Every structure is written in C-alpha cells, then in structure tokens.
Amino acid sequence: MLTSNLGVKEIEGTVYYYLSGMPIYSHGVEQRDRFRYCTSNLLVQGLCRNVDIVRVFHVSTDSVRRNKKLLIEKGESAFFTGTKRVRRGHKLTATVLVSIQKKLDENRSVNSIAKGLNISEGSIRYAIKQGRLKKNH
C-alpha cells in the first residue's frame, strides 16, 4: 500500500496501481519509462507523497522529484520520446584512444600512459576490457 486508498501489486510481470480497489494504471515490470510516468502522475494528482513512492519502490528521493518536475514542465511525452540518453566518456575520445593504442603497441605500461595523459589508469583498463583498446602481452 502506498497510502490508505492507493495500492500497487505485481501480477505475472505486470504492475497494477489500484485506487480504492479499482485499477487505474498498469505497466510491465521492466518498463521504467512507464513506471516513472505513472508514479509521477500519482504525485501530481495528489494521490500520494514523494516519500510514499520512495518507501514502496526503494527509489531515490532525487529521482522521484526529478521525474515529477519533468511531468509538470514537459508533460507525458517527455517520458516516451523513444530516445535513450547515451553517455560518452569525455576523456577517452577517439584521438586519445589512438594515442593510447600507439603507446600500448610500444609496450608502455598502462600506469605510465595514464600518468602521461593525466587519465586514470582504471579508465584505460576499462577500455581494454571493453575491447576498445588492445594490450600487447
């Protein structure tokens, strides 16, 4: 129960929201965009509080606040644009990767390369693990 009148239940991979026993929303368990929209809509309509969403779904207070603000400012379509945010490393650009690869080909250590380029050693090791860089053995 989110509140005394508002409940939520998962049945066979679908999450149902109930208001006084009547279903009002539903979405698949894996549909994060729909979850964010549904919970934000409940907040905007005054059916529950931010803390209720945080308590029941174990999500952060900041994400609840951010999604509610998104619904208020940009509307429902903001949750269903179909575009995913792509995060890119700002230090390991294409030119930097080429430079690092040349140094790896010269059998320089990851530590010395990282210090020389002022990049963390972990970033280079992660790029090697992902296959973006090849380390000579």
Side-chain angles (χ1 to χ4, degrees), residues 78-123:
F79 292 89
F80 307 108
T81 59
T83 59
K84 297 290 180 188
R85 189 173 86 183
V86 177
R87 296 177 67 169
R88 304 225 188 274
H90 63 279
K91 289 205 173 189
L92 292 183
T93 61
T95 55
V96 173
L97 285 172
V98 169
S99 170
I100 293 170
Q101 187 60 58
K102 285 180 185 175
K103 292 175 183 179
L104 285 171
D105 293 341
E106 296 168 358
N107 290 323
R108 291 195 43 203
S109 71
V110 172
N111 186 18
S112 68
I113 297 169
K115 284 183 179 177
L117 295 174
N118 197 24
I119 297 173
S120 74
E121 187 177 349
S123 295

Side-chain angles (χ1 to χ4, degrees), residues 10 14-15 29 40 43 50-51 60 68 76 96 114 132 134:
E10 189 237 321
T14 303
V15 178
V29 172
S40 299
L43 294 168
N50 292 15
V51 70
S60 72
K68 179 181 174 184
E76 178 181 343
V96 173
R132 294 189 298 160
K134 303 273 189 250

